[in-house]
């Protein structure tokens, strides 16, 4: 899993989740489609699946779990990136003071010794 830097302090955002499509024979490709099609959109140009969540509720956790299960099954990678709320988004949103923002901020703090908390 990789993450990008969080959005600015005070911003409202959603989590953009992408997974690289695994190259597979037709039967395995169709199984991958069956797992991801209900929750994600496919971009043929980048060969990635993507989904968005704005809350760590049952539905959001289900999307994350499916993406991670698919990545594990097909040997691909999940990427998480906080993005500003698009105009078309009608669901819940995260804020910079949410727990997931703190988690993303900590994961983006490269060079920090394991177990050390970032300085505020």
């Amino acid at each position: 899993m990789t993450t990008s830097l969080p959005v600015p302090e005070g911003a409202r955002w959603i989590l953009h989740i992408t997974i690289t499509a695994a190259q597979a024979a037709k039967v395995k490709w169709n199984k991958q489609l069956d797992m991801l099609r209900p929750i994600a959109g496919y971009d043929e140009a980048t060969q990635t699946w993507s989904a968005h969540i704005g809350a760590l509720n049952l539905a959001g956790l289900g999307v994350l779990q499916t993406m991670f299960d698919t990545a594990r099954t097909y040997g691909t990678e999940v990427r998480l990136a906080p993005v500003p709320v698009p105009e078309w988004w009608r669901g819940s949103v995260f804020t910079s003071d949410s727990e997931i923002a703190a988690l993303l901020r900590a994961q983006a703090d490269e060079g920090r010794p394991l177990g050390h908390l970032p300085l505020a």
Side-chain angles (χ1 to χ4, degrees):
M1 175 184 78
T2 59
T3 59
S4 65
L5 293 174
V7 292
E9 192 71 28
R12 295 168 19 104
W13 52 280
I14 59 175
L15 192 60
H16 181 72
I17 310 158
T18 57
I19 180 173
T20 303
Q23 300 302 316
K26 187 170 177 96
V27 171
K28 284 183 99 175
W29 175 254
N30 287 336
K31 287 182 181 180
Q32 187 179 177
L33 287 177
D34 291 343
M35 291 176 79
L36 293 172
R37 190 177 294 157
I39 61 157
Y42 184 68
D43 180 359
E44 195 166 338
T46 62
Q47 297 185 343
T48 58
W49 292 90
S50 65
H52 296 89
I53 62 171
L56 289 180
N57 55 18
L58 187 58
L61 290 174
V63 169
L64 279 172
Q65 187 65 55
T66 299
M67 297 290 260
F68 282 115
D69 288 347
T70 304
R72 185 184 67 243
T73 299
Y74 295 99
T76 63
E77 181 178 75
V78 173
R79 294 181 185 265
L80 305 175
V83 296
V85 178
E87 288 184 27
W88 52 264
W89 184 257
R90 298 291 177 251
S92 300
V93 299
F94 295 107
T95 61
S96 61
D97 62 346
S98 69
E99 289 181 24
I100 193 164
L103 174 66
L104 288 172
R105 197 172 295 113
Q107 288 187 0
D109 186 15
E110 292 186 30
R112 178 176 48 89
L114 185 62
H116 288 213
L117 297 176
L119 298 175

